[in-house]
Amino acid sequence: MIKKTLLIEIGTEELPSRLLYKISSYFHENFVKKLNFYNISYKDIRCFSTPRRLALKVIDIDTTDKFIEITKRGPSIVHAYDQNGSLTQTAIRWLKHFEININETHRLKNEKGEWLLYKTKKKQEKIELLIPKITESALKNIFIKKYMRWEKNNQKFFRPIRNIVILLNNQTITGNIFNIPSSNLLQNHLSSKENKITIKDAKDYPKILFQKNKIIADYTIRKEEIIKNIKETAQKINGCIKNNDFLIEEVTSLVESPTVLLADFEKKFLNLPKQILIHTIEKQQKCFPVYDFKKKLLPNFILVSNINSKKPEKIIMGNQKVMHARLSDAEFFFKNDRKVKLENYLLSLKKVLFQNNLGSLYEKTLRLKTLIKWIAKYNSSNIQDSIRAALLSKCDLVTHIVCEFPELQGTIGMYYALEDQEKKDVAIALKEQYLPVFSGDKLPCTSIGCALSIADKMDTLSGMFYVGNIPSADKDPFALRRLAIGIIRIIIVKNITLNLKDLINKSLCLHHEKNFKNVILSDKIFKFFIKRLFHWYEETGYSIKIIKSVLSYKSTNLIDIHQRIQAISYFIKIENSELIILSIKRISNILEKENNKITGCINTKLIKEAEEIILFNQIEKFKINTKNLFLEKKYQDILIKIKDFEQPISNFFKKVKVYDTNAKIRLNRLLLLDEIKKIFFTITDFSYLY
């Protein structure tokens, strides 16, 4: 076995920072799959990525020649030979197609029959020929929907590919990838006068990049270096930074030769609302705000440059000028906004279209006012405060600040409301109305925030269904699935006893008074929610069987659904719970034979055997002991009591003959079993759990 080190580097134009890590991971995964497909062994693969390069370094790759076994199964023996033992036309065509002589074939026998079989070994292409093909395939099979095309050949990748390096130890592997010939010349840093860096041996990667131009090709090492230097820089002014993984990841994907520098801005900008300041520094300038140890902002920021300049003060000065301009704009817009109160922007919403056929933002606000008044009754929110929050909810959308920085919607509303002396819960609700923003995001904390978030999401969702903007299997341009999951999570986690169907109907009526269309739409929206609910529970880790068993009841109360799913999940983990489930299965099978047409009441006079008397008494005892538990929906306690049926049912089947010769006794015993089934199926459809 001949082992070598393989290097592949794909030089590109600036890759999108938010996709870099994903692209690199997919490239690595696809390449590994292809190596496995060709049965090429290796010791380890290291992955590298910067804004202008994707690279893989394969350690101890096996480069020896390999043989692959080719197997071709032909027609069955029955169809391969006629009655005289001569080859049929079917067999002849098969042999001719694969250029096989009948003497080269074997017989394949198994329990299903017997076939002609041809086996041979063929020398696999040399690894020098395979690697370019594997590389191009691994790149082309990265499935992220943000490609671009370039040049007359209409090549397609995330950014134009400009350079290819393939080295096997010190040997340059020749090949074309995306019509670009490979070489041993690495792409240099964008700021370097020399376009290329010559690499003589694969083992020198990535060290040679750092030696030549301080390029840190390893994403993880680069990230750790940036974090370390940022912290050390902040400590120089007795400051610190807050953890912001998203920003760290983005900055790591924006630079390949990171240099951390400290800059400052005028102290007067500290008078701006904290969130505006942070947003400008982090989101717009991709820099890091600095805090003192009391968590107050300092008039400084830390930037990560992609250039190792001999005159870093020029880079600092340039960034300070841009930061000053940005903060000056924010200050100007903020002062203009504060000339009037937040509520005075309400009428301006009449000029802003919410959605075609759904009116303006002002009309949406009026719908929210009505809907939140209804929701507030169910989550113990102050009704007047909830209405106030609804009226102010969209006012910040027409402020100068939000027009300039749309990501601050809600946050600015909260700041302005607090400055206008609105109640704290009302102000916080203006920010919380958009939560959760993404899967797994935090939920609103205040009851008014929960009510406003539900109202806002439900109004958008029902409105989009009303005008026909319904998500398809692969398209959801208005993120209605995310809105539905948001509503589901708030209702369940915050334990709000809202009836989902009532919420849908109430919202639909605000778009149009009750009509036949609303009834159909209501059912569509309800089914849409149930699908989302199923997937949410599945992702959370609940058993699919349990989810289906509960959802089959088509309950419209999410809290009730959640309590049942939790209770059953607990029950099936109890020792010997499977015995009860098997008993239910046995009872159900018996009743199914009767086509479930057993009617009438249990006649106590016909209960003679000791075991059926005990079972009947257990039913009566269960009904008495669980009456209040059912009212209080304590399903876990009910299921624990159901376990008490295990022994009486077992003894009943051992000692009592269900199909008695006496028709009346037989019917009575079937009614007894039917009563047990009704008890079990009151909580869930146990047939899904068999």
Side-chain angles (χ1 to χ4, degrees), residues 72-73 93-101 104 118:
K72 303 290 182 184
R73 191 172 81 167
R93 281 195 299 270
W94 176 72
L95 292 167
K96 189 176 180 181
H97 179 74
F98 291 108
E99 298 179 352
I100 303 168
N101 189 296
E104 297 174 312
Y118 172 70

Side-chain angles (χ1 to χ4, degrees), residues 488 491-498 533 536-537 542 546-547 549-551 555 557-571 628-639 682-684:
I488 288 166
I491 290 175
I492 290 175
V493 175
K494 299 297 180 178
N495 199 31
I496 303 170
T497 55
L498 267 176
L533 185 65
W536 181 66
Y537 274 120
Y542 286 96
I546 294 172
I547 303 166
S549 73
V550 175
L551 294 185
S555 172
N557 188 317
L558 294 180
I559 299 301
D560 187 64
I561 289 171
H562 188 63
Q563 288 172 339
R564 288 173 191 258
I565 287 176
Q566 282 189 311
I568 298 161
S569 298
Y570 171 80
F571 175 72
N628 288 331
L629 293 177
F630 271 108
L631 291 172
E632 295 167 10
K633 297 183 179 181
K634 293 184 177 179
Y635 300 116
Q636 190 167 302
D637 294 341
I638 295 167
L639 284 166
T682 303
I683 295 180
T684 193

Side-chain angles (χ1 to χ4, degrees), residues 335-437:
K335 285 180 178 177
N336 268 352
D337 286 343
R338 290 291 69 211
K339 289 176 182 177
V340 295
K341 286 191 171 185
L342 182 63
E343 64 182 337
N344 292 339
Y345 289 100
L346 182 60
L347 295 178
S348 299
L349 295 175
K350 290 182 178 181
K351 300 174 185 177
V352 183
L353 181 69
F354 167 55
Q355 179 67 29
N356 284 334
N357 302 316
L358 291 177
S360 65
L361 281 176
Y362 180 78
E363 290 169 287
K364 179 179 175 71
T365 300
L366 296 182
R367 291 195 299 270
L368 294 183
K369 175 187 170 185
T370 305
L371 193 54
I372 201 171
K373 184 179 178 181
W374 180 79
I375 294 170
K377 297 173 185 175
Y378 294 92
N379 79 328
S380 305
S381 297
N382 181 289
I383 293 176
Q384 291 308 313
D385 288 347
S386 298
I387 291 171
R388 183 65 177 167
L391 286 172
L392 296 174
S393 62
K394 304 302 173 187
C395 289
D396 68 337
L397 297 182
V398 287
T399 61
H400 292 90
I401 280 284
V402 173
C403 288
E404 182 69 16
F405 310 129
E407 300 92 338
L408 291 178
Q409 62 179 11
T411 301
I412 292 301
M414 180 188 72
Y415 274 114
Y416 289 0
L418 288 171
E419 286 203 354
D420 293 342
Q421 305 300 310
E422 297 287 350
K423 289 183 180 179
K424 188 176 180 180
D425 278 2
V426 171
I428 293 172
L430 304 187
K431 181 181 179 180
E432 292 185 335
Q433 66 179 302
Y434 299 107
L435 297 176
V437 177

Side-chain angles (χ1 to χ4, degrees), residues 279-370:
H279 178 83
T280 305
I281 295 171
E282 291 185 344
K283 301 289 185 182
Q284 291 197 314
Q285 296 307 113
K286 313 300 179 192
C287 296
F288 297 85
V290 185
Y291 303 81
D292 64 19
F293 292 102
K294 292 181 180 179
K295 305 300 179 186
K296 288 185 178 180
L297 278 166
L298 295 171
N300 302 92
F301 63 95
I302 293 171
L303 62 106
V304 182
S305 172
N306 192 31
I307 300 172
N308 285 286
S309 174
K310 292 178 181 178
K311 296 182 179 179
E313 61 276 2
K314 286 188 176 181
I315 297 172
I316 294 169
M317 193 177 296
N319 277 270
Q320 285 180 169
K321 283 181 180 179
V322 176
M323 188 68 76
H324 179 84
R326 292 284 190 184
L327 293 176
S328 295
D329 287 345
E331 183 184 47
F332 173 77
F333 294 135
F334 176 69
K335 285 180 178 177
N336 268 352
D337 286 343
R338 290 291 69 211
K339 289 176 182 177
V340 295
K341 286 191 171 185
L342 182 63
E343 64 182 337
N344 292 339
Y345 289 100
L346 182 60
L347 295 178
S348 299
L349 295 175
K350 290 182 178 181
K351 300 174 185 177
V352 183
L353 181 69
F354 167 55
Q355 179 67 29
N356 284 334
N357 302 316
L358 291 177
S360 65
L361 281 176
Y362 180 78
E363 290 169 287
K364 179 179 175 71
T365 300
L366 296 182
R367 291 195 299 270
L368 294 183
K369 175 187 170 185
T370 305

